[in-house]
Amino acid sequence: MANPHLLFVSKGESASSTRYRALQYFPLLRRNGWQPQHLTDDRSLSGRLRILQAARRAQLVVVLRRPFANPFRSLLAREA
């Protein structure tokens, strides 16, 4: 079985919350067999579709400090 995929969604890589809560752990996650990925929610339709596609492949989706409206949150939960 391939390494499990872990998706983080946040408002951007430069945000301190993203750096402290996710990106700093990527090397550790990789060493322990995970495939972490980070996507930025730019609130565009193409960005949201990209997030949904990545969520389909992920075993776990972590949303960092970005509240989504109920319709998109439901779609994301269904894909993950």
Side-chain angles (χ1 to χ4, degrees), residues 5-9 26 30 35-39 50 54 57:
H5 187 244
L6 178 60
L7 174 64
F8 290 86
V9 180
F26 277 26
R30 286 186 184 106
Q35 292 180 353
Q37 178 185 9
H38 172 262
L39 290 177
R50 190 176 64 245
R57 294 185 308 271

Side-chain angles (χ1 to χ4, degrees), residues 68-76:
F68 292 116
N70 274 339
F72 184 74
R73 198 171 33 227
S74 296
L75 283 173
L76 187 57

Side-chain angles (χ1 to χ4, degrees), residues 3-13 18 21-23 25-26 29-30 33-42 46-66 68 72-73 75-80:
N3 292 345
H5 187 244
L6 178 60
L7 174 64
F8 290 86
V9 180
S10 76
K11 59 184 177 180
E13 286 188 10
T18 302
R21 293 186 181 120
L23 299 179
Y25 297 107
F26 277 26
L29 289 166
R30 286 186 184 106
W34 288 89
Q35 292 180 353
Q37 178 185 9
H38 172 262
L39 290 177
T40 298
D41 174 31
D42 61 6
S46 62
R48 296 283 171 97
L49 290 174
R50 190 176 64 245
I51 290 168
L52 289 173
Q53 288 172 341
R56 251 184 232 129
R57 294 185 308 271
Q59 278 68 43
L60 179 65
V61 177
V62 179
V63 178
L64 299 169
R65 297 184 55 113
R66 174 67 77 183
F68 292 116
F72 184 74
R73 198 171 33 227
L75 283 173
L76 187 57
R78 190 174 328 147
E79 294 300 329

